[in-house]
């Protein structure tokens, strides 16, 4: 059997020769030699609102790019794009995971395709699976003539291409229609298993051909028999595996450092963000202040922030405005949420309301004319709600991220707890 390892992300393989990975997985793609990737968004985090995690797309984009850079063969099945919303409210598209910035996918469908010249390393694959392939869109990009593999029958549109990146290659092909899965006594469809075994072997041939002279014929199955294997091959393959392991370790360290950097600079979002990104930054700051903080969602209620400490229980709402102050509409929502929260089973006291505002968020801090509207101030005073400018949280949170100072954190919590109907004034951090 082939020594090369294949991982399939989002595409169902049968027969046990290919490792299958969910789109929701954190799987690294540096271990396999061949990756089959079917673009998708994974499982929604809010199905009724079509909301997905943007990080899933970013993860696969990083992994696919790293795999190609490490000399892997990546085969992307060009299925119809999936679209939805990210947690921050922005649009999200499954093709954003493909590490090819100028790629556009135009919806169209058909089965009539032809090779555009010599298919090189894809020749055997196309001979075996052209009858099972049907395009679902056209590709538009700054492909060179050498990149283009497949076109529509008329030759006017590109439906398959391959882009070399160093030793690796990104191959874009129409999706496959595999035989249906039929229940048998063994629980498997024999035709489907045979199809997937042929596919996995064909992918191994493609990978080997990619790493050989492009003018050479991909080795047939029988040529892989141990009878024809050279002694030096084992030694070289061991060296390659060792080098790949070192590369994987370095890339893992790079990702770890990148994540640490992302966490460190995340507090700056208090100065300029809105939506989910602002809410996450607020949660990070509150945790530094010593609160237990998290968003609250169940079948009936959804609150931006619920946070607790020895001082009490708090419920917050956050609002970022591009070029305006935070108005009373968000405060009314917070007051409604306080009533809704109190009505829930197990809640015996009203939480203290806190309105987090990031007004004029796109302007420098010193040039922001106002923060909350007059009506917002009046209503906050009447309801004893604390008003917090998220930019004011940055300096205290920045200090606490670098210093273990429980007393200063307590003073920050007290500032929020004791404030009623006014803007919270946080204590100045001690001098370093």
């Amino acid at each position: 059997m082939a020594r090369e390892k294949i991982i399939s992300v989002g595409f169902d393989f049968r027969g046990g020769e290919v490792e299958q990975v969910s789109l929701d997985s954190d799987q690294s793609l540096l271990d396999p030699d061949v990756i089959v990737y079917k673009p998708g968004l994974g499982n929604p985090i809010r199905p009724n609102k079509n909301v997905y995690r943007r990080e899933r797309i970013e993860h696969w984009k990083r992994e696919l790019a790293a795999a190609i850079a490490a000399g892997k063969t990546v085969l992307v099945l060009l299925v119809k794009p999936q679209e939805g919303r990210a947690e921050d409210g922005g649009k999200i598209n499954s093709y954003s995971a493909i590490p090819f910035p100028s790629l556009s996918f135009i919806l169209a469908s058909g089965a009539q395709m032809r090779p555009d010249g010599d298919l090189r390393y894809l020749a055997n694959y196309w001979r075996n699976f052209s009858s099972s392939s049907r395009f679902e869109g056209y590709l538009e990009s700054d492909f060179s003539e050498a990149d283009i593999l497949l076109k529509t029958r008329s030759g006017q549109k590109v439906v398959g291409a391959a882009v070399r990146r160093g030793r690796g290659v990104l191959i874009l092909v129409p999706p496959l229609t595999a035989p249906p899965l039929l229940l048998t006594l063994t629980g498997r469809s024999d035709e489907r298993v045979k199809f997937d075994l042929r596919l996995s072997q064909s992918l191994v041939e493609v990978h080997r051909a990619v790493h050989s002279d492009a003018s050479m014929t991909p080795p047939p199955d029988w040529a892989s028999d141990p009878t024809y294997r050279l002694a030096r091959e084992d030694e070289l393959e061991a060296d390659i595996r060792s080098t790949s392991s070192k590369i994987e370790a370095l890339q893992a360290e790079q990702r770890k450092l990148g994540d640490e950097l992302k966490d460190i600079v995340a507090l700056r979002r208090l100065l300029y963000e809105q939506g989910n990104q602002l809410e996450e930054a607020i949660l990070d700051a509150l945790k530094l202040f010593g609160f237990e903080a998290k968003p609250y969602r169940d079948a009936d209620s959804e609150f931006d922030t619920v946070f607790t400490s020895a001082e009490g229980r708090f419920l917050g709402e956050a609002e970022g405005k591009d070029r305006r102050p935070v108005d009373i509409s968000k405060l009314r929502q917070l007051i409604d949420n306080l009533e809704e929260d109190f009505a829930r089973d197990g809640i015996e006291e009203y939480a203290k309301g806190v309105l987090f505002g990031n007004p004029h968020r796109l302007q420098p801090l010193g040039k922001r004319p106002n923060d909350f509207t007059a009506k917002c101030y009046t209503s906050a005073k009447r309801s004893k709600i604390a008003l917090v400018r998220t930019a004011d949280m940055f300096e205290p949170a920045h200090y606490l991220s670098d210093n273990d100072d429980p007393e200063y954190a307590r003073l920050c919590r007290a500032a929020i707890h004791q404030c009623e109907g006014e803007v919270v004034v946080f204590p100045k951090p001690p001098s370093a």
Side-chain angles (χ1 to χ4, degrees):
M1 196 59 208
R3 293 171 177 264
E4 287 82 351
K5 180 177 179 180
I6 305 175
I7 277 184
S8 174
V9 182
F11 179 71
D12 188 27
F13 262 92
R14 301 284 157 160
E17 301 298 332
V18 176
E19 180 181 348
Q20 299 184 73
V21 174
S22 163
L23 285 162
D24 295 307
S25 169
D26 290 325
Q27 174 75 43
S28 167
L29 296 181
L30 291 175
D31 185 33
D33 303 286
V34 181
I35 298 102
V36 179
Y37 185 81
K38 180 181 176 182
L41 298 179
N43 292 318
I45 54 176
R46 300 181 203 169
N48 58 331
K49 295 186 179 180
N50 199 32
V51 176
Y52 298 83
R53 294 190 186 280
R54 189 184 297 278
E55 174 54 28
R56 292 296 81 225
I57 289 293
E58 297 301 324
H59 167 76
W60 292 120
K61 186 174 184 178
R62 290 193 301 268
E63 289 300 321
L64 290 171
I68 295 168
K72 315 297 183 180
T73 299
V74 175
L75 186 102
V76 177
L77 300 175
L78 298 170
V79 295
K80 181 179 178 181
Q82 185 181 1
E83 295 183 339
R85 290 194 305 114
E87 306 98 309
D88 59 7
K91 293 182 179 180
I92 190 170
N93 185 293
S94 57
Y95 273 74
S96 299
I98 310 304
F100 196 82
S102 62
L103 184 68
S104 295
F105 189 87
I106 311 302
L107 288 178
S109 62
Q112 298 299 314
M113 295 167 279
R114 63 173 177 81
D116 187 62
D118 181 11
L119 289 181
R120 306 184 302 282
Y121 44 79
L122 205 68
N124 282 347
Y125 169 92
W126 190 245
R127 184 162 48 251
N128 290 328
F129 298 103
S130 59
S131 61
S132 302
S133 300
R134 181 181 177 87
F135 68 85
E136 297 184 7
Y138 307 138
L139 294 175
E140 291 188 354
S141 182
D142 52 354
F143 294 123
S144 69
E145 285 299 318
D147 295 334
I148 299 172
L149 297 177
L150 301 168
K151 286 186 174 180
T152 55
R153 186 176 183 180
S154 66
Q156 295 180 333
K157 298 294 184 180
V158 177
V159 293
V163 182
R164 296 295 294 260
R165 291 287 186 268
R167 294 180 63 247
V169 62
L170 173 67
I171 304 174
L172 308 165
V173 295
L176 295 165
T177 303
L181 292 171
L182 303 175
L183 292 178
T184 66
L185 292 177
T186 62
R188 302 187 301 176
S189 166
D190 292 339
E191 287 301 313
R192 178 58 185 272
V193 171
K194 291 177 182 177
F195 178 91
D196 286 349
L197 287 174
R198 284 193 298 112
L199 177 57
S200 61
Q201 184 58 46
S202 181
L203 293 173
V204 168
E205 292 174 1
V206 170
H207 177 71
R208 292 175 179 175
V210 164
H211 289 80
S212 64
D213 188 330
S215 65
M216 297 174 62
T217 302
D221 296 354
W222 58 263
S224 300
D225 191 281
T227 305
Y228 308 108
R229 189 168 178 79
L230 304 178
R232 178 72 170 145
E233 290 184 53
D234 289 335
E235 182 180 341
L236 290 173
E237 288 180 353
D239 290 342
I240 290 171
R241 286 194 297 271
S242 175
T243 302
S244 296
S245 297
K246 293 175 182 177
I247 292 172
E248 183 175 354
L250 289 171
Q251 289 178 327
E253 178 65 18
Q254 182 186 44
R255 289 195 299 272
K256 178 183 175 184
L257 293 172
D259 290 340
E260 290 180 8
L261 177 61
K262 184 169 65 174
D263 290 342
I264 289 173
V265 303
L267 285 174
R268 285 209 293 267
R269 293 179 294 175
L270 292 166
L271 305 175
Y272 61 84
E273 267 293 5
Q274 64 176 351
N276 279 23
Q277 297 298 318
L278 179 62
E279 293 168 18
E280 290 179 6
I282 291 168
L283 289 172
D284 290 342
L286 291 173
K287 290 172 184 176
L288 289 169
F289 293 168
F291 289 106
E292 291 186 10
K294 59 184 178 181
Y296 179 86
R297 294 181 181 90
D298 64 16
D300 302 313
S301 303
E302 182 173 331
F303 309 137
D304 287 353
T305 311
V306 175
F307 50 108
T308 59
S309 67
E311 288 76 15
R313 184 170 176 275
F314 304 76
L315 192 148
E317 282 293 311
E319 177 86 321
K321 293 287 189 180
D322 291 357
R323 295 178 178 83
R324 291 182 295 164
V326 177
D327 58 42
I328 196 172
S329 62
K330 198 65 175 181
L331 192 84
R332 286 203 309 267
Q333 181 181 340
L334 173 58
I335 293 172
D336 290 343
N337 286 349
L338 289 167
E339 294 289 345
E340 184 178 326
D341 174 68
F342 180 67
R344 293 192 299 118
D345 292 341
I347 303 299
E348 304 299 331
E349 295 183 2
Y350 277 95
K352 179 177 178 61
V354 182
L355 179 60
F356 297 94
N358 193 17
H360 304 282
R361 66 186 186 89
L362 300 179
Q363 297 186 37
L365 298 186
K367 296 184 178 180
R368 298 183 182 185
N370 48 15
D371 38 42
F372 301 93
T373 63
K375 283 188 176 182
C376 195
Y377 273 112
T378 300
S379 183
K381 193 75 173 177
R382 181 172 178 271
S383 302
K384 299 183 179 181
I385 287 173
L387 304 175
V388 175
R389 292 182 293 235
T390 60
D392 292 347
M393 302 175 73
F394 176 74
E395 188 177 11
H398 184 198
Y399 168 78
L400 287 169
S401 70
D402 294 330
N403 299 274
D404 183 14
D405 191 339
E407 176 58 20
Y408 180 71
R410 184 191 67 79
L411 293 174
C412 291
R413 296 196 305 272
I416 297 175
H417 178 247
Q418 295 168 6
C419 183
E420 296 184 347
E422 297 176 346
V423 172
V424 173
V425 178
F426 293 100
K428 279 299 219 181
S431 57

